[in-house]
Amino acid sequence: MSTTPIPPGWKGGFAQSNPAFAYPTPDLSSLEMKDNMDNIKLLTRQQGVKWPEFSWQTIPGDESSRCFQMFSPYISRLGYTDEGRVYSIICPQQGACSPTFGCMNVEVTVTGQRGWVDETTKTFYADMTVEGTIWFSPSSLQEEWVKKAWDIFNKFGLDFPTSKAKAIKVATHKFQDPNHPIFPVSQGETPRFKSPAFARHEDEAWNVGHIDVQIGDIKKTGHKIVDEFNELVMFAFNTASGNMLKQGNTLTWNVWFTQPALVDTDEWETHAKRWRDSIQADHGSPTGPGTQARYFDGTPFKAVDTLELEMKDTMKKEIHQLEKMEVNKIEGFLQKHFEDEL
């Protein structure tokens, strides 16, 4: 770990203000869950996540299918006061591309957080609530079936996921506890699995923490046709991304921090707003690209890998079935609901 001195101004004390906050079983239930944008003016210190190392099983339940991918450097941050109270956690965003839909954006959007940091002991703990959000990037809107569906939805005044504001929402919850939407952000690397050398940064990072969050249901919009279409989009997204947001799958981040730094609240607000309003997958990331998803041995992940494995002992179909399957589902959906418009 890095031993670079921390900047002046650290006071500490918040982590010790309540005995319930302490490890090994921190309890932050006495603190209100705060929105990320509510208290930016109170932030004075931060730890940037230069290496947001993400991992998931591309075939849920099969550990040999686990992939590792670093998201855009510094996309995530932990913001807190001189005393160590956490008031803002910025989380990652990524893109995935489908043969039929083109590129789609995915973000794990923070809806609530609370926590503490102790720079003196290099420890921290936080609680979070998040939801997954999926929406089409500009290039996907030029794909034949997407454009056709978008035009029809517009004609009938139906919401179409063309922006983060209209994104498909996916619920999340604590690992193995679907009745508990609040989950921890804990000290150290995840104990659930071992990470390969290319996904570890112990010689460079100042500290490391981990997040394990499990995927729940797609949130209903209240409109049957929109909900049915959103199910199709999620099918396509999960095919393209290796089941990243498939219900029941668990997403894990080992977040490798740089040393504490001071906060410019105007810059923080701009950074948070940029990610809240969203960049698009087509345009890349303003903080630089992440890495390609890879298996433990370094082999690059491809969407067809998942399809081949899932079909190997049952369906015995060709890899081009991926695109055909998606097209057939979209075509069938449009025929079912909008036959007169085609």
Side-chain angles (χ1 to χ4, degrees), residues 319-340:
I319 295 305
H320 70 259
Q321 181 72 9
L322 170 65
E323 184 168 358
K324 180 180 177 182
M325 188 162 41
E326 293 182 17
V327 170
N328 287 345
K329 283 181 175 288
I330 300 165
E331 190 172 24
F333 169 85
L334 296 175
Q335 289 285 351
K336 175 182 176 181
H337 293 292
F338 305 106
E339 185 174 0
D340 294 341

mmCIF file of all heavy atoms in Angstrom, residues 319-340:
data_model
loop_
_atom_site.group_PDB
_atom_site.id
_atom_site.type_symbol
_atom_site.label_atom_id
_atom_site.label_comp_id
_atom_site.label_asym_id
_atom_site.label_seq_id
_atom_site.Cartn_x
_atom_site.Cartn_y
_atom_site.Cartn_z
ATOM 1 N N ILE A 319 -23.598 -19.998 -33.034
ATOM 2 C CA ILE A 319 -23.433 -18.749 -32.305
ATOM 3 C C ILE A 319 -24.291 -17.625 -32.889
ATOM 4 O O ILE A 319 -24.742 -16.740 -32.172
ATOM 5 C CB ILE A 319 -21.940 -18.330 -32.320
ATOM 6 C CG1 ILE A 319 -21.120 -19.352 -31.552
ATOM 7 C CG2 ILE A 319 -21.760 -16.959 -31.696
ATOM 8 C CD1 ILE A 319 -21.589 -19.606 -30.130
ATOM 9 N N HIS A 320 -24.595 -17.670 -34.193
ATOM 10 C CA HIS A 320 -25.418 -16.600 -34.768
ATOM 11 C C HIS A 320 -26.832 -16.596 -34.181
ATOM 12 O O HIS A 320 -27.606 -15.672 -34.406
ATOM 13 C CB HIS A 320 -25.481 -16.714 -36.298
ATOM 14 C CG HIS A 320 -26.285 -17.896 -36.784
ATOM 15 N ND1 HIS A 320 -25.694 -19.055 -37.213
ATOM 16 C CD2 HIS A 320 -27.620 -18.081 -36.910
ATOM 17 C CE1 HIS A 320 -26.633 -19.919 -37.587
ATOM 18 N NE2 HIS A 320 -27.816 -19.348 -37.399
ATOM 19 N N GLN A 321 -27.188 -17.625 -33.415
ATOM 20 C CA GLN A 321 -28.488 -17.666 -32.757
ATOM 21 C C GLN A 321 -28.661 -16.487 -31.804
ATOM 22 O O GLN A 321 -29.778 -16.047 -31.538
ATOM 23 C CB GLN A 321 -28.637 -18.978 -31.976
ATOM 24 C CG GLN A 321 -29.982 -19.147 -31.270
ATOM 25 C CD GLN A 321 -31.105 -19.409 -32.249
ATOM 26 O OE1 GLN A 321 -30.843 -19.623 -33.434
ATOM 27 N NE2 GLN A 321 -32.328 -19.399 -31.775
ATOM 28 N N LEU A 322 -27.565 -15.950 -31.302
ATOM 29 C CA LEU A 322 -27.620 -14.796 -30.419
ATOM 30 C C LEU A 322 -28.396 -13.649 -31.054
ATOM 31 O O LEU A 322 -29.361 -13.140 -30.485
ATOM 32 C CB LEU A 322 -26.187 -14.344 -30.087
ATOM 33 C CG LEU A 322 -25.994 -13.008 -29.374
ATOM 34 C CD1 LEU A 322 -26.609 -13.053 -27.987
ATOM 35 C CD2 LEU A 322 -24.515 -12.676 -29.291
ATOM 36 N N GLU A 323 -27.981 -13.242 -32.248
ATOM 37 C CA GLU A 323 -28.651 -12.121 -32.902
ATOM 38 C C GLU A 323 -30.057 -12.511 -33.356
ATOM 39 O O GLU A 323 -31.006 -11.748 -33.189
ATOM 40 C CB GLU A 323 -27.822 -11.650 -34.104
ATOM 41 C CG GLU A 323 -28.414 -10.420 -34.773
ATOM 42 C CD GLU A 323 -27.451 -9.795 -35.752
ATOM 43 O OE1 GLU A 323 -26.311 -10.286 -35.881
ATOM 44 O OE2 GLU A 323 -27.849 -8.813 -36.390
ATOM 45 N N LYS A 324 -30.203 -13.702 -33.907
ATOM 46 C CA LYS A 324 -31.506 -14.153 -34.387
ATOM 47 C C LYS A 324 -32.524 -14.194 -33.248
ATOM 48 O O LYS A 324 -33.686 -13.801 -33.411
ATOM 49 C CB LYS A 324 -31.365 -15.544 -35.006
ATOM 50 C CG LYS A 324 -32.665 -16.127 -35.547
ATOM 51 C CD LYS A 324 -32.423 -17.515 -36.130
ATOM 52 C CE LYS A 324 -33.719 -18.157 -36.607
ATOM 53 N NZ LYS A 324 -33.498 -19.525 -37.118
ATOM 54 N N MET A 325 -32.083 -14.648 -32.089
ATOM 55 C CA MET A 325 -32.968 -14.754 -30.939
ATOM 56 C C MET A 325 -33.485 -13.380 -30.532
ATOM 57 O O MET A 325 -34.672 -13.197 -30.252
ATOM 58 C CB MET A 325 -32.184 -15.404 -29.790
ATOM 59 C CG MET A 325 -32.996 -15.775 -28.582
ATOM 60 S SD MET A 325 -32.114 -16.989 -27.530
ATOM 61 C CE MET A 325 -30.421 -16.418 -27.543
ATOM 62 N N GLU A 326 -32.606 -12.392 -30.510
ATOM 63 C CA GLU A 326 -33.009 -11.046 -30.116
ATOM 64 C C GLU A 326 -33.956 -10.433 -31.143
ATOM 65 O O GLU A 326 -34.974 -9.825 -30.792
ATOM 66 C CB GLU A 326 -31.773 -10.169 -29.935
ATOM 67 C CG GLU A 326 -30.908 -10.590 -28.759
ATOM 68 C CD GLU A 326 -29.709 -9.692 -28.563
ATOM 69 O OE1 GLU A 326 -29.700 -8.572 -29.119
ATOM 70 O OE2 GLU A 326 -28.771 -10.096 -27.860
ATOM 71 N N VAL A 327 -33.630 -10.576 -32.431
ATOM 72 C CA VAL A 327 -34.474 -10.009 -33.486
ATOM 73 C C VAL A 327 -35.871 -10.623 -33.441
ATOM 74 O O VAL A 327 -36.881 -9.926 -33.550
ATOM 75 C CB VAL A 327 -33.835 -10.232 -34.870
ATOM 76 C CG1 VAL A 327 -34.825 -9.855 -35.966
ATOM 77 C CG2 VAL A 327 -32.568 -9.404 -35.014
ATOM 78 N N ASN A 328 -35.931 -11.930 -33.283
ATOM 79 C CA ASN A 328 -37.231 -12.595 -33.239
ATOM 80 C C ASN A 328 -38.082 -12.110 -32.070
ATOM 81 O O ASN A 328 -39.298 -11.919 -32.202
ATOM 82 C CB ASN A 328 -37.038 -14.111 -33.133
ATOM 83 C CG ASN A 328 -36.558 -14.725 -34.429
ATOM 84 O OD1 ASN A 328 -36.620 -14.089 -35.486
ATOM 85 N ND2 ASN A 328 -36.068 -15.955 -34.366
ATOM 86 N N LYS A 329 -37.464 -11.906 -30.933
ATOM 87 C CA LYS A 329 -38.204 -11.433 -29.769
ATOM 88 C C LYS A 329 -38.736 -10.016 -29.994
ATOM 89 O O LYS A 329 -39.883 -9.706 -29.653
ATOM 90 C CB LYS A 329 -37.317 -11.480 -28.530
ATOM 91 C CG LYS A 329 -37.141 -12.886 -27.951
ATOM 92 C CD LYS A 329 -36.261 -12.849 -26.716
ATOM 93 C CE LYS A 329 -36.172 -14.224 -26.073
ATOM 94 N NZ LYS A 329 -37.422 -14.604 -25.403
ATOM 95 N N ILE A 330 -37.929 -9.145 -30.567
ATOM 96 C CA ILE A 330 -38.376 -7.771 -30.808
ATOM 97 C C ILE A 330 -39.469 -7.737 -31.864
ATOM 98 O O ILE A 330 -40.485 -7.050 -31.719
ATOM 99 C CB ILE A 330 -37.185 -6.893 -31.260
ATOM 100 C CG1 ILE A 330 -36.107 -6.879 -30.193
ATOM 101 C CG2 ILE A 330 -37.653 -5.464 -31.540
ATOM 102 C CD1 ILE A 330 -34.789 -6.349 -30.681
ATOM 103 N N GLU A 331 -39.245 -8.497 -32.944
ATOM 104 C CA GLU A 331 -40.232 -8.537 -34.017
ATOM 105 C C GLU A 331 -41.569 -9.078 -33.498
ATOM 106 O O GLU A 331 -42.642 -8.547 -33.809
ATOM 107 C CB GLU A 331 -39.720 -9.404 -35.161
ATOM 108 C CG GLU A 331 -40.565 -9.303 -36.422
ATOM 109 C CD GLU A 331 -39.903 -10.031 -37.590
ATOM 110 O OE1 GLU A 331 -39.093 -10.934 -37.347
ATOM 111 O OE2 GLU A 331 -40.197 -9.672 -38.734
ATOM 112 N N GLY A 332 -41.494 -10.118 -32.689
ATOM 113 C CA GLY A 332 -42.719 -10.678 -32.128
ATOM 114 C C GLY A 332 -43.425 -9.702 -31.207
ATOM 115 O O GLY A 332 -44.660 -9.604 -31.208
ATOM 116 N N PHE A 333 -42.655 -8.952 -30.438
ATOM 117 C CA PHE A 333 -43.244 -7.947 -29.543
ATOM 118 C C PHE A 333 -43.979 -6.872 -30.349
ATOM 119 O O PHE A 333 -45.116 -6.509 -30.039
ATOM 120 C CB PHE A 333 -42.131 -7.311 -28.705
ATOM 121 C CG PHE A 333 -42.565 -6.086 -27.949
ATOM 122 C CD1 PHE A 333 -43.169 -6.202 -26.710
ATOM 123 C CD2 PHE A 333 -42.365 -4.811 -28.476
ATOM 124 C CE1 PHE A 333 -43.571 -5.072 -26.009
ATOM 125 C CE2 PHE A 333 -42.759 -3.682 -27.791
ATOM 126 C CZ PHE A 333 -43.367 -3.813 -26.545
ATOM 127 N N LEU A 334 -43.324 -6.359 -31.396
ATOM 128 C CA LEU A 334 -43.952 -5.301 -32.201
ATOM 129 C C LEU A 334 -45.191 -5.817 -32.926
ATOM 130 O O LEU A 334 -46.211 -5.119 -32.999
ATOM 131 C CB LEU A 334 -42.935 -4.744 -33.193
ATOM 132 C CG LEU A 334 -41.721 -4.028 -32.570
ATOM 133 C CD1 LEU A 334 -40.732 -3.626 -33.656
ATOM 134 C CD2 LEU A 334 -42.152 -2.814 -31.767
ATOM 135 N N GLN A 335 -45.128 -7.036 -33.443
ATOM 136 C CA GLN A 335 -46.281 -7.623 -34.114
ATOM 137 C C GLN A 335 -47.447 -7.804 -33.146
ATOM 138 O O GLN A 335 -48.603 -7.554 -33.481
ATOM 139 C CB GLN A 335 -45.903 -8.974 -34.728
ATOM 140 C CG GLN A 335 -44.991 -8.890 -35.941
ATOM 141 C CD GLN A 335 -45.721 -8.434 -37.199
ATOM 142 O OE1 GLN A 335 -46.942 -8.339 -37.229
ATOM 143 N NE2 GLN A 335 -44.956 -8.130 -38.232
ATOM 144 N N LYS A 336 -47.136 -8.211 -31.955
ATOM 145 C CA LYS A 336 -48.165 -8.474 -30.955
ATOM 146 C C LYS A 336 -48.921 -7.212 -30.557
ATOM 147 O O LYS A 336 -50.151 -7.224 -30.434
ATOM 148 C CB LYS A 336 -47.511 -9.098 -29.717
ATOM 149 C CG LYS A 336 -48.457 -9.324 -28.547
ATOM 150 C CD LYS A 336 -47.684 -9.899 -27.369
ATOM 151 C CE LYS A 336 -48.563 -10.057 -26.138
ATOM 152 N NZ LYS A 336 -47.782 -10.589 -24.984
ATOM 153 N N HIS A 337 -48.209 -6.105 -30.388
ATOM 154 C CA HIS A 337 -48.825 -4.910 -29.824
ATOM 155 C C HIS A 337 -49.113 -3.801 -30.864
ATOM 156 O O HIS A 337 -49.995 -2.977 -30.636
ATOM 157 C CB HIS A 337 -47.925 -4.324 -28.747
ATOM 158 C CG HIS A 337 -47.797 -5.203 -27.522
ATOM 159 N ND1 HIS A 337 -48.832 -5.431 -26.659
ATOM 160 C CD2 HIS A 337 -46.746 -5.923 -27.072
ATOM 161 C CE1 HIS A 337 -48.438 -6.249 -25.698
ATOM 162 N NE2 HIS A 337 -47.161 -6.553 -25.912
ATOM 163 N N PHE A 338 -48.377 -3.808 -31.986
ATOM 164 C CA PHE A 338 -48.509 -2.676 -32.903
ATOM 165 C C PHE A 338 -48.596 -3.143 -34.365
ATOM 166 O O PHE A 338 -48.006 -2.540 -35.255
ATOM 167 C CB PHE A 338 -47.293 -1.740 -32.744
ATOM 168 C CG PHE A 338 -47.078 -1.264 -31.345
ATOM 169 C CD1 PHE A 338 -46.045 -1.771 -30.569
ATOM 170 C CD2 PHE A 338 -47.909 -0.310 -30.780
ATOM 171 C CE1 PHE A 338 -45.836 -1.345 -29.291
ATOM 172 C CE2 PHE A 338 -47.705 0.141 -29.479
ATOM 173 C CZ PHE A 338 -46.662 -0.381 -28.736
ATOM 174 N N GLU A 339 -49.319 -4.195 -34.619
ATOM 175 C CA GLU A 339 -49.373 -4.785 -35.955
ATOM 176 C C GLU A 339 -49.776 -3.750 -37.005
ATOM 177 O O GLU A 339 -49.227 -3.721 -38.108
ATOM 178 C CB GLU A 339 -50.356 -5.954 -35.983
ATOM 179 C CG GLU A 339 -50.380 -6.693 -37.306
ATOM 180 C CD GLU A 339 -51.249 -7.935 -37.251
ATOM 181 O OE1 GLU A 339 -51.831 -8.207 -36.188
ATOM 182 O OE2 GLU A 339 -51.309 -8.632 -38.269
ATOM 183 N N ASP A 340 -50.711 -2.873 -36.698
ATOM 184 C CA ASP A 340 -51.184 -1.894 -37.679
ATOM 185 C C ASP A 340 -50.165 -0.828 -37.998
ATOM 186 O O ASP A 340 -50.287 -0.123 -39.009
ATOM 187 C CB ASP A 340 -52.473 -1.222 -37.175
ATOM 188 C CG ASP A 340 -53.634 -2.193 -37.093
ATOM 189 O OD1 ASP A 340 -53.569 -3.253 -37.748
ATOM 190 O OD2 ASP A 340 -54.602 -1.881 -36.374
#
